[in-house]
Amino acid sequence: MTEREKSYAQLLYQPGDPELAADRDVTVRKLQKYNNMDPLDRSGREAAIREILGKAGENCVVEQPLFCTYGYNTTVGDNFFMNVYGKLMDSGKITIGNNVFIAPNVSIITEEHAMDAVQRAQGLEYTHPVTIGDNVWICTGAIVLPGVTIGDNSVIGAGSVVTKDIPPNSLAVGNPCRVIRMLEQE
């Protein structure tokens, strides 16, 4: 198994692998270009984001600056909006549905360092995919941790740290993030 295959299988892997390091270098260059583009060049930015992300649906807007680890491990649906200072730590897969709004300074993280000190010192880590359903709003400063699924139609409050799955139709807030009420759907 390659190190990338191990990461997708949620096995301990070496992110310092030369192939993965080369992929991150390519992404750094793409991000440098994207983050320095004219913010009003909407068609140029849309084309550039499609070269960074694994898949981007129709009407995909990602404000600058953006950070991602690889880019190609993130897919977003139609009518996606990510505000400034978005962080997609996508060593593992990030799958985002349609009609998702992400506020400024949100981090979505798939990486987790090894708990064993020797393995951690060797730079080994795991990835756990993150899935965000349709019609989700993630408010300012939220952090979505590895392995989390956020259900359709949910809202994650500002500053929340999402450590566990959030069911559909939920308003969830806090650190750790907890459902405080169900949202009625019309």
Side-chain angles (χ1 to χ4, degrees), residues 123-137:
L124 298 172
E125 65 184 29
Y126 296 95
T127 70
H128 304 287
V130 170
T131 303
I132 298 169
D134 295 336
N135 308 307
V136 171
W137 176 24

Side-chain angles (χ1 to χ4, degrees), residues 29-49:
R29 293 285 184 224
K30 288 179 182 179
L31 288 169
Q32 180 184 31
K33 176 183 171 190
Y34 181 75
N35 288 331
N36 288 295
M37 291 181 80
D38 179 347
L40 300 180
D41 180 7
R42 289 177 179 84
S43 63
R45 285 178 47 206
E46 182 177 344
I49 203 67

Side-chain angles (χ1 to χ4, degrees), residues 15-128:
D17 170 70
E19 182 181 356
L20 292 176
D23 284 358
R24 287 192 304 276
D25 288 348
V26 169
T27 302
V28 165
R29 293 285 184 224
K30 288 179 182 179
L31 288 169
Q32 180 184 31
K33 176 183 171 190
Y34 181 75
N35 288 331
N36 288 295
M37 291 181 80
D38 179 347
L40 300 180
D41 180 7
R42 289 177 179 84
S43 63
R45 285 178 47 206
E46 182 177 344
I49 203 67
R50 291 180 185 286
E51 289 184 21
I52 294 170
L53 300 180
K55 175 188 170 283
E58 296 298 315
N59 192 29
C60 174
V61 176
V62 178
E63 297 294 353
Q64 301 147 291
L66 166 69
F67 176 82
C68 54
T69 310
Y70 295 98
Y72 58 67
N73 286 329
T74 298
T75 62
V76 302
D78 295 336
N79 305 313
F80 175 73
F81 179 80
M82 177 174 248
N83 215 318
V84 296
Y85 296 103
K87 296 170 199 76
L88 301 169
M89 306 299 291
D90 66 344
S91 292
K93 300 286 186 177
I94 297 174
T95 305
I96 300 174
N98 298 316
N99 308 309
V100 173
F101 301 131
I102 298 179
N105 297 305
V106 169
S107 298
I108 302 171
I109 303 165
T110 64
E111 296 97 348
E112 175 181 32
H113 294 290
M115 292 293 155
D116 178 82
V118 172
Q119 292 174 335
R120 192 169 52 251
Q122 294 169 344
L124 298 172
E125 65 184 29
Y126 296 95
T127 70
H128 304 287

